[in-house]
Amino acid sequence: MDDIDVEFNSVGFENAIKALAASGAIVGSDPVRTAIRSEVGSILKTCAGRTKVSTEPVVTSRERVRTLWSLELTSTQNSPVSITAGAKVDSSYGRVWRRLGSHSSGRADKSFDTDRHSSGADGWKQLQQTHAAGFAPLWLHFKDGDWIDIQEAIAAFKSDSQRRVPRALKSIGIARQSWVQIADSLGIDLESVPGGGASPAAIAKARAAIGPKGQTYQNGMSSEVGAAQSYLVTLINGFPKIQQHGLDSILVGAINGRVKFYEKNVSLGVFDSIEKILNAYPGILNVSYN
C-alpha cells in the first residue's frame, strides 16, 4: 500500500494538547499522554461515524445481482431465463421472465447452450413474465422442457443467493472497521468515548465485519513512543481503498474539528475553570493505557 500524506492544523492541535495537559484538570503523572489519548479517542470515534457504510437492502440487492450474473440469469446477458433482483427494495424482487422462441434443452444456468443466448433472427424476440414478485407463479402453460428450465433457474438462484447474501451482509462496515481497529490497538474503548460519532452498536458491528468470503482483515494499527511530557502516537490505516472512501479527508476533518473546538473553548473562557474543562472534555476522565 502506498503512503498517503495528510495535512492538518498540527500547530493548533499541539496547542490544544498543551493547554489540556497544563490545565490541572488531568489527574495523574502523565497529563500529556492522557490529553493525547483522549483527543485521539474523540478523533477516531468521529472518523468511524463519518465513514459511510452500505445498508442491508443495498448490499442484499447488489449481491443478488452478482449472483444472477454468475449464473447468467439476467436479461442483459440475453439469458433464456432472467430474474429481477430488486433495486434496494424487495417490491420487484423475484419476478421471473423467459425469452420467447426458445427450444428447451437442458439447465437454466451456465450449462445453457450458447446458441440459446442469441438475440439475432433465430433468438428470442421478447420476454414473457412467468412469475410475479416473490417468485409467485402466474399459472401460465409452458412446455415441459421450458418449465423445467424456469424451475431449475429459480432453484439455482435461490441456492446461491441464500449462501452468498448472508456472507455479504457480514462485510458491512469493513472501511469503518479500520478506525475501530486503530482504537483497539491503542486500548481505547471507542464505545465509551464521550461525544458524537458512531454509536456503540455501529462500532461493535464494524469490529465484527468480515470479508464476503469469510476472510478477516487487520487494516487499523498504531504505535506509541515516549515518556512524560514527550509522547508520540502514530495512527496507521491500511485500508486499501482509503482515498476512494475518503478516509484521508475524514481524518483531516476530524482533527481540524477538534482544533476548532479547542479554539472556541478558549474564546469562551473554558480553560479558566477546571469544572468547565471537564464539562467540555469529559473524555480525559476515562482514559486508560495498554
Side-chain angles (χ1 to χ4, degrees):
M1 182 193 72
D2 296 333
D3 292 336
I4 299 173
D5 295 326
V6 296
E7 296 182 4
F8 60 93
N9 188 349
S10 58
V11 174
F13 186 71
E14 183 177 350
N15 289 337
I17 296 300
K18 288 180 177 179
L20 275 174
S23 67
I26 298 176
V27 178
S29 60
D30 201 344
V32 171
R33 187 182 185 192
T34 298
I36 291 177
R37 289 177 67 86
S38 174
E39 286 300 284
V40 166
S42 295
I43 289 167
L44 290 174
K45 188 174 183 181
T46 298
C47 288
R50 292 180 181 176
T51 300
K52 294 182 179 179
V53 298
S54 295
T55 63
E56 290 191 4
V58 170
V59 172
T60 297
S61 178
R62 184 170 59 215
E63 196 60 27
R64 285 172 178 170
V65 170
R66 290 172 175 171
T67 302
L68 290 170
W69 271 88
S70 69
L71 294 172
E72 297 184 17
L73 294 176
T74 71
S75 58
T76 305
Q77 295 168 299
N78 289 326
S79 303
V81 178
S82 58
I83 299 173
T84 303
K88 298 184 181 179
V89 295
D90 286 345
S91 60
S92 62
Y93 169 61
R95 292 178 182 173
V96 183
W97 311 77
R98 66 178 286 268
R99 289 189 180 274
L100 299 178
S102 65
H103 301 284
S104 61
S105 61
R107 296 175 56 80
D109 55 22
K110 287 186 177 181
S111 64
F112 272 127
D113 186 337
T114 53
D115 290 342
R116 300 177 63 200
H117 293 231
S118 170
S119 59
D122 296 329
W124 292 301
K125 305 300 187 297
Q126 65 186 70
L127 295 173
Q128 178 189 33
Q129 188 171 358
T130 66
H131 292 68
F135 299 99
L138 297 179
W139 303 112
L140 302 176
H141 179 72
F142 300 99
K143 294 180 180 179
D144 290 346
D146 292 334
W147 184 245
I148 291 173
D149 281 350
I150 295 168
Q151 292 299 100
E152 289 187 342
I154 294 173
F157 169 69
K158 285 185 175 180
S159 175
D160 279 21
S161 62
Q162 287 171 1
R163 172 175 49 85
R164 293 177 54 157
V165 170
R167 293 192 313 192
L169 291 175
K170 291 181 180 179
S171 69
I172 293 177
I174 288 288
R176 173 179 286 170
Q177 183 186 73
S178 57
W179 303 120
V180 178
Q181 289 177 338
I182 294 173
D184 288 347
S185 70
L186 288 166
I188 296 175
D189 181 14
L190 215 54
E191 288 94 326
S192 66
V193 172
S199 68
I203 292 171
K205 186 173 183 178
R207 182 182 288 113
I210 59 176
K213 295 183 180 180
Q215 67 272 41
T216 58
Y217 302 99
Q218 186 62 47
N219 292 316
M221 296 161 281
S222 65
S223 65
E224 294 179 276
V225 294
Q229 306 304 316
S230 180
Y231 175 71
L232 174 67
V233 59
T234 302
L235 312 181
I236 305 169
N237 194 321
F239 185 67
K241 298 181 180 179
I242 193 168
Q243 289 183 304
Q244 180 179 329
H245 286 255
L247 303 191
D248 50 343
S249 298
I250 288 173
L251 177 60
V252 171
I255 296 174
N256 289 340
R258 294 303 295 178
V259 173
K260 291 179 180 178
F261 179 65
Y262 158 71
E263 293 172 344
K264 179 181 178 180
N265 287 331
V266 170
S267 68
L268 294 175
V270 169
F271 285 85
D272 297 336
S273 162
I274 289 181
E275 182 180 358
K276 291 180 180 179
I277 293 173
L278 294 177
N279 285 334
Y281 297 89
I284 61 178
L285 294 176
N286 64 351
V287 171
S288 61
Y289 302 144
N290 283 338

